[in-house]
Amino acid sequence: MSFFKVTTSLLRAREIYRYRNLLTGLSLMGFASGVFTYSMQVVKQDDFDDVPLPPTPTESPQSSSASGETQNSSSP
């Protein structure tokens, strides 16, 4: 497929954009990394002590053994 072949004229035409594209890509990656790092630091500093937690459900050992017998009530 000679349609996708990279020729010297194509390389020469792209050369003027290579450094500008590299600078743009590095700038975008640096900005994204900065936003990610800032977000992680802000979330890490957040304190959730003022948020009330719901009580954890506790199951007694007697109710779990009794429910095991009645679970399969459709079998003969």
Side-chain angles (χ1 to χ4, degrees), residues 18 22 39 58:
R18 182 174 299 151
L22 181 64
S39 300
T58 57

Side-chain angles (χ1 to χ4, degrees), residues 1 3 6 16 18 20 23-26 28-29 36 45 47 55-57 59 61 68 70 72-74:
M1 298 182 93
F3 182 72
V6 179
I16 59 174
R18 182 174 299 151
R20 189 175 5 167
L23 181 64
T24 302
L26 288 174
L28 287 173
M29 198 176 338
F36 177 77
Q45 294 173 2
D47 187 19
T56 58
E59 188 173 323
T70 60
N72 196 2
S73 62
S74 64

Side-chain angles (χ1 to χ4, degrees), residues 1-74:
M1 298 182 93
S2 63
F3 182 72
F4 295 110
K5 189 174 182 180
V6 179
T7 61
T8 55
S9 60
L10 179 62
L11 291 174
R12 190 173 55 247
R14 288 170 137 183
E15 189 174 350
I16 59 174
Y17 299 107
R18 182 174 299 151
Y19 296 110
R20 189 175 5 167
N21 289 344
L22 181 64
L23 181 64
T24 302
L26 288 174
S27 299
L28 287 173
M29 198 176 338
F31 176 75
S33 298
V35 168
F36 177 77
T37 303
Y38 172 76
S39 300
M40 289 298 119
Q41 287 180 355
V42 168
V43 169
K44 194 185 320 179
Q45 294 173 2
D46 201 2
D47 187 19
F48 294 107
D49 288 341
D50 59 339
V51 178
L53 294 175
T56 58
T58 57
E59 188 173 323
S60 65
Q62 294 172 352
S63 65
S64 64
S65 64
S67 66
E69 295 173 351
T70 60
Q71 236 177 3
N72 196 2
S73 62
S74 64

